[in-house]
């Protein structure tokens, strides 16, 4: 059985669809903290539980041989120990490209520590290291819905933003295919896209112009910190323009190599998710 945690999230939702479509004969189970609010594809068993609640975690893990896990969503050491005890053989972990590009950031250091725990766990592993997600632009949805400008300090820096469904497609291959144990996959979109281009793509999907105002980093930090906290706000600003490395800008063809299908452009994500900005 494959246990998908983060099953209601940006990656988890398409992952369950890909796993169903893969025709795998292994049973699929999806974990959520609130079963009443979650909906999963037919044939997927829903279990309610919290990674931080050992009893519910043990119930969810019973019979699992593969585990899909997002770094940073629970007490990783306890989660991996419980998985090992339950007989899990292979873990696909969503890590981050920042463990290579920005290991000094606290957010990246924590993810790297989770990778290290998994490598030392005795279970087989596959590390997915995506760059920034297209879905991060949902942070702009309140402003766009209210017809206010999106306020950004670094509008013209291009980064190879990834569609979360591409991470899901790679994860599905890693969970069901034979050749992914011990692999570390850097994952990016098909090419660089600037924040200004993202705003324009959302405008095109909405059928109206979305205004953008360039602000200072200090102003952007104050606004972002209110939503995500001080340290994460600094990390996000570094990673979207304040502290960019060639490695963060690099485009990788891993999605196409693993899945056989090219990575999706941001404009596709914008079209598929326009309703969230309306
Ligand atoms: N955003 C980026 O640019 C970026 C870049 C690189 C890596 N990452 C990594 O990507 C991952 C986020 O993926 P995502 O966007 O798909 O997630 P997401 O949409 O934010 O959803 C989070 C998921 O985690 C589940 N969850 C949270 N806390 C939980 C808990 N205590 N117990 C059980 N489940 C819990 C939620 O389930 P319920 O609410 O249903 O319980 C939900 O399904 C993180 O590991 C992050 O570090 C993100």
């Amino acid at each position: 059985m494959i246990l998908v945690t983060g099953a209601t999230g940006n990656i988890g939702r398409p992952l369950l669809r890909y796993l169903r479509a893969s025709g795998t004969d292994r049973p699929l189970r999806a974990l959520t903290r609130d079963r009443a609010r979650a909906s999963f594809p037919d044939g997927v068993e829903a279990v309610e539980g919290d990674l931080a609640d050992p009893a519910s975690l043990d119930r969810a893990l019973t019979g699992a041989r593969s585990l899909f896990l997002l770094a940073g969503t629970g007490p990783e050491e306890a989660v991996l120990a419980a998985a090992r005890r339950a007989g899990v053989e292979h873990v696909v972990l969503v890590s981050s490209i920042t463990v290579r590009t920005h290991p000094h950031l606290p957010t990246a250091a924590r993810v790297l520590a989770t990778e290290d725990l998994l490598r030392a766990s005795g279970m087989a592993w596959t590390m997915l290291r995506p760059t920034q997600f297209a879905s991060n632009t949902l942070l702009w949805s309140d402003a766009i819905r209210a017809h206010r400008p999106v306020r950004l300090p670094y509008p013209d820096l291009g980064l190879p933003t990834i569609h979360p469904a591409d991470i899901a497609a790679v994860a599905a291959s890693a969970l069901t295919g034979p050749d992914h144990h011990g692999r570390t996959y850097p994952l990016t979109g098909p090419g660089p896209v600037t924040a200004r281009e993202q705003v324009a793509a959302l405008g095109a999907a909405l059928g109206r112009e979305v205004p953008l105002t360039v602000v200072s980093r200090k102003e952007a930090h104050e606004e972002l910190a209110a939503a995500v906290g001080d340290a994460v706000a600094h990390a996000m600003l570094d990673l979207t323009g304040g502290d960019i490395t060639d490695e963060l800008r690099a485009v990788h063809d891993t999605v196409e190599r693993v899945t056989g299908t090219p990575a999706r452009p941001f404009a596709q994500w914008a079209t598929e998710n326009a309703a969230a900005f309306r």
Side-chain angles (χ1 to χ4, degrees):
M1 187 261 290
I2 300 173
L3 175 63
V4 174
T5 70
T8 59
N10 296 306
I11 306 168
R13 279 179 279 120
L15 172 58
L16 287 168
R17 290 199 300 272
Y18 283 122
L19 287 171
R20 284 293 291 152
S22 75
T24 179
D25 55 5
R26 299 167 66 196
L28 303 174
R29 183 181 289 162
L31 178 74
T32 174
R33 288 166 297 175
D34 186 354
R35 209 160 121 177
R37 281 183 36 214
S39 92
F40 299 118
D42 288 346
V44 173
E45 178 198 0
V47 286
E48 193 165 272
D50 191 316
L51 293 170
D53 169 31
S56 69
L57 177 62
D58 286 344
R59 275 196 303 277
L61 282 165
T62 302
R65 292 294 167 266
S66 300
L67 172 65
F68 174 76
L69 185 65
L70 307 174
T73 45
E76 279 90 1
E77 192 162 6
V79 171
L80 291 174
R84 179 90 206 265
R85 275 197 313 276
V88 169
E89 292 159 0
H90 178 215
V91 179
V92 175
L93 179 73
V94 177
S95 169
S96 168
I97 201 104
T98 58
V99 303
R100 267 191 70 82
T101 63
H102 290 70
H104 55 281
L105 290 176
T107 45
R110 183 171 169 200
V111 175
L112 188 55
T114 304
E115 281 197 3
D116 289 342
L117 282 170
L118 177 54
R119 277 192 207 91
S121 71
M123 297 179 284
W125 48 264
T126 308
M127 308 297 181
L128 309 185
R129 289 182 174 173
T131 191
Q132 67 167 11
F133 295 7
S135 47
N136 292 357
T137 58
L138 288 167
L139 273 172
W140 308 339
S141 61
D142 284 350
I144 294 177
R145 264 198 307 273
H147 290 243
R148 283 188 274 111
V150 177
R151 293 163 58 78
L152 298 168
Y154 307 114
D156 296 312
L157 194 278
L159 291 170
T161 302
I162 189 165
H163 191 313
D166 283 330
I167 306 168
V170 173
S173 297
L175 286 162
T176 55
D179 301 324
H180 304 285
H181 291 197
R183 299 290 185 91
T184 298
Y185 292 132
L187 299 175
T188 71
V193 58
T194 67
R196 196 184 297 280
E197 289 165 343
Q198 288 180 311
V199 169
L202 289 167
L206 292 169
R208 65 177 167 85
E209 195 174 330
V210 174
L212 185 160
T213 299
V214 180
V215 298
S216 68
R217 174 168 177 141
K218 189 167 174 296
E219 285 173 283
H221 179 263
E222 277 166 18
E223 292 167 14
L224 203 49
V228 298
D230 180 68
V232 175
H234 274 305
M236 287 174 72
L237 289 167
D238 281 354
L239 295 169
T240 52
D243 180 21
I244 297 302
T245 63
D246 286 348
E247 207 170 354
L248 195 63
R249 297 164 79 125
V251 176
H252 297 274
D253 64 355
T254 328
V255 170
E256 183 163 6
R257 277 195 292 109
V258 173
T259 68
T261 305
R264 284 158 259 217
F266 178 80
Q268 181 171 342
W269 185 91
T271 304
E272 291 166 1
N273 292 276
F277 298 84
R278 224 165 237 131

